[in-house]
Amino acid sequence: MTLPLAHGIAQREDLPIPLALFVFGAFVVLVVSFVALAVLWREPRLEQDRWRPLPDGLGRVLGSRPVEVLCGTIGVALLVLVVAAGFEGQQTAASNFAPTFVYVVFWVGLVAASVLLGDVYRAFNPWRAIGRAVAFSSRLVARGDLPPPLEYPRRLGMWPAAAGLLAFTVLEIVNSTPDDPSTVAVATLVYSVAMFVGMALYGVDAWIDRGEGFSVYFNLFSRLSVFETRDTPGTGGVLGVRLPLSGLTSLRPAPGLVAVVAVMIGTVSFDGFSEQQAWVDVGGKLGDLFGSLGLSSETAFEASSAVGLAVAVGLVLGLYRLGTAGMKILDDRNRAGELAVSFAHSLVPIALAYVGAHYLTLLAFQGQAIFYLASDPLGSGSDLFGTAEVAISYFLGATLIALMQVGLVVSGHVAGLVLSHDRALTVYSDRPQLAVPSQLWMLAVMVVFTIVALLLLLAGNG
Amino acid sequence: MTTLIAHGGHWLLNIAYFLPVVGFMAWLGVTQWKERRKRTERQQSPDCERSDPPS
């Protein structure tokens, strides 16, 4: 045992305090938050609908149909640009618009935009815009209403969205050439076809709201925002404000919701874990095993990553279900599955903590590349906006980044505790004595998620 | 296999962070299960039945 332990625990050398103190500090914050909630937060506060429109007609203008059409058109143009750049541009990630746009601006940047501004992706969603335009045109040609689409199966719930998100992360994390521009273009086209089939079968809104992975993904994050657009018949929508976090309490439970959230957290966890020495060791051995079965080294590497990704998602799902199964010990009325769906929204801030902390530097630094790539999307030497020579500024220091990551992780988990506590007060409104004891389980789950996040972010690789 | 074992120290020490939580969950499970059993027994006891209002 001397040899392995001689390594000691490694941590990043730029941390201002030891990793163990970060973990202990996060634990203390969660426990203090839990006690404060138990003592001071006695009534559900986030379940009430306190939405109100932005003043002076601003909300009506920003949510109006013309603005929605304009945003949709921009979304479609960007979709076309990604596919065109992927096929026609230079086949290197550094000089092609498609990979940086998809993996940084779209996948990570839109998370930040959703949390700050609300569900902006819904307006820019190119597949929704195309679907609505086709439906509108078809009604004009047919001079009347079209035959109604199939009813969206209730049991299907958000499972297609979970599958779509998992497929995207397989492309991003498992695929050995994820930033190959033509791969990005092909994946975009394949996903587009799947979305068009889904919308044709079940209608645009029914499919987009539950079946389209990115819509569900960004919508969940947007529920953390104070901004929400509400539809008004005939005139588009109205943008308004609501209490922070209250958007998540109005999330309607659906089959597959827990899976979506588990994919959100599990895939980021594996993305972080795959950079650690532990995975280099285990994944390498797993790759050797697949290689011995006759797979090429590249395919064997992808297969081992796929297994790792699936295990990470499974562990997140298992841990959460363990927490809700624990709540079931006291609760003799609700089934464990019902509790799991009821409290699933409390995992969304945790997903944000994982995504935000893990991809913070990617967005802050690599995100700047979009300025020069926008001027030269194909890498052909053009300078459309005069920004082709913009350089990336590394404006955040390593210590500040580490502190921001820890802040995101801890505040995300505290927000999860708040949501979970508030929901417990509603679920156990007729048995208030169960509300706090049931949440001890969620506290334990949050502590485990916090430790995992900190270890993945801050532990060393050596 | 050598590499796997050589880096085992990192894993073991990282896993050690989770032990208090695992212990807490085990304690929580046992105490809450006992509490639920007591509650069920109280509900089924003759004293409880006697306290019901006469029909």
Side-chain angles (χ1 to χ4, degrees):
Chain A
M1 280 306 268
T2 314
L3 179 63
L5 290 173
H7 283 277
I9 187 163
Q11 73 171 48
R12 275 170 39 172
E13 290 175 359
D14 49 46
L15 293 184
I17 55 173
L19 174 63
L21 279 182
F22 272 122
V23 174
F24 181 70
F27 170 76
V28 170
V29 170
L30 285 176
V31 171
V32 169
S33 304
F34 180 86
V35 173
L37 286 168
V39 175
L40 302 173
W41 193 301
R42 300 292 186 90
E43 297 287 330
R45 298 179 187 187
L46 299 174
E47 306 273 349
Q48 301 149 5
D49 184 15
R50 292 196 195 161
W51 180 89
R52 61 179 191 279
L54 290 180
D56 303 326
L58 186 63
R60 197 166 290 280
V61 172
L62 290 173
S64 66
R65 190 59 52 80
V67 171
E68 189 182 19
V69 170
L70 177 67
C71 292
T73 307
I74 293 170
V76 174
L78 288 169
L79 176 72
V80 172
L81 182 59
V82 164
V83 175
F87 285 128
E88 297 297 324
Q90 277 203 27
Q91 293 302 303
T92 55
S95 55
N96 193 300
F97 177 82
T100 297
F101 181 79
V102 170
Y103 292 123
V104 184
V105 177
F106 175 74
W107 181 238
V108 184
L110 264 179
V111 172
S114 302
V115 173
L116 294 173
L117 305 172
D119 199 356
V120 287
Y121 175 67
R122 187 173 171 79
F124 286 94
N125 185 337
W127 300 290
R128 176 172 178 261
I130 293 171
R132 287 170 75 101
V134 168
F136 180 75
S137 310
S138 303
R139 276 197 298 271
L140 280 183
V141 171
R143 294 180 183 173
D145 285 337
L146 300 170
L150 297 174
E151 189 177 342
Y152 190 88
R154 194 176 140 68
R155 289 174 63 184
L156 207 52
M158 292 180 176
W159 284 107
L165 286 174
L166 192 61
F168 179 81
T169 51
V170 165
L171 174 75
E172 183 198 18
I173 301 169
V174 173
N175 190 306
S176 52
T177 56
D179 53 1
D180 175 51
S182 62
T183 303
V184 173
V186 169
T188 306
L189 286 181
V190 169
Y191 188 79
S192 299
V193 170
M195 293 308 102
F196 295 142
V197 170
M199 288 189 289
L201 285 175
Y202 300 115
V204 176
D205 287 331
W207 178 258
I208 291 290
D209 289 347
R210 282 165 286 184
E212 205 265 287
F214 299 115
S215 285
V216 171
Y217 182 73
F218 294 123
N219 177 266
L220 285 174
F221 284 124
S222 78
R223 289 172 178 273
L224 290 161
S225 170
V226 294
F227 295 107
E228 181 192 359
T229 302
R230 292 198 172 174
D231 289 335
T232 50
T235 59
V238 179
L239 182 65
V241 290
R242 63 189 171 198
L243 284 175
L245 301 179
S246 66
L248 280 166
T249 58
S250 60
L251 179 65
R252 276 184 298 177
L257 172 62
V258 178
V260 167
V261 186
V263 168
M264 288 162 75
I265 298 174
T267 52
V268 182
S269 303
F270 179 69
D271 202 8
F273 184 60
S274 63
E275 294 163 7
Q276 306 259 326
Q277 185 62 46
W279 174 250
V280 174
D281 300 340
V282 176
K285 293 294 162 193
L286 207 53
D288 291 345
L289 180 69
F290 284 120
S292 68
L293 298 175
L295 298 179
S296 69
S297 60
E298 188 178 300
T299 313
F301 171 76
E302 290 176 338
S304 66
S305 296
V307 170
L309 188 71
V311 169
V313 173
L315 284 175
V316 170
L317 199 57
L319 176 63
Y320 176 64
R321 290 304 298 255
L322 179 67
T324 51
M327 290 164 63
K328 175 76 185 110
I329 294 176
L330 281 179
D331 185 345
D332 48 7
R333 288 190 203 162
N334 298 297
R335 288 186 307 203
E338 290 169 345
L339 290 172
V341 175
S342 292
F343 287 85
H345 68 303
S346 65
L347 295 183
V348 175
I350 295 165
L352 174 68
Y354 271 66
V355 171
H358 185 76
Y359 296 121
L360 176 69
T361 50
L362 183 74
L363 182 63
F365 300 142
Q366 184 59 30
Q368 297 174 50
I370 207 65
F371 293 117
Y372 63 76
L373 289 169
S375 269
D376 186 14
L378 305 184
S380 57
S382 63
D383 192 2
L384 300 174
F385 305 109
T387 56
E389 299 300 321
V390 169
I392 292 176
S393 163
Y394 294 92
F395 61 100
L396 294 174
T399 304
L400 180 61
I401 289 170
L403 291 175
M404 289 169 73
Q405 287 173 324
V406 173
L408 265 170
V409 167
V410 175
S411 52
H413 287 79
V414 170
L417 269 184
V418 170
L419 282 164
S420 187
H421 177 79
D422 198 73
R423 177 57 51 88
L425 291 173
T426 305
V427 170
Y428 300 115
S429 57
D430 58 338
R431 293 168 293 166
Q433 73 277 11
L434 295 188
V436 172
S438 72
Q439 291 313 291
L440 284 167
W441 288 97
M442 293 307 278
L443 173 66
V445 168
M446 302 295 175
V447 168
V448 172
F449 276 133
T450 306
I451 296 173
V452 171
L454 292 177
L455 288 179
L456 291 179
L457 285 167
L458 305 178
N461 296 332
Chain B
M1 201 61 196
T2 316
T3 326
L4 262 177
I5 295 168
H7 288 282
H10 301 280
W11 306 12
L12 290 175
L13 283 171
N14 284 347
I15 287 170
Y17 281 108
F18 298 98
L19 289 180
V21 196
V22 173
F24 173 72
M25 284 174 132
W27 170 82
L28 195 60
V30 171
T31 51
Q32 292 196 347
W33 180 73
K34 281 182 179 171
E35 196 177 321
R36 178 174 170 168
R37 205 175 57 173
K38 275 183 195 167
R39 201 174 60 216
T40 311
E41 283 171 1
R42 269 202 308 270
Q43 283 168 352
Q44 290 171 347
S45 69
D47 290 347
C48 279
E49 284 169 17
R50 271 202 300 271
S51 66
D52 287 341
S55 54

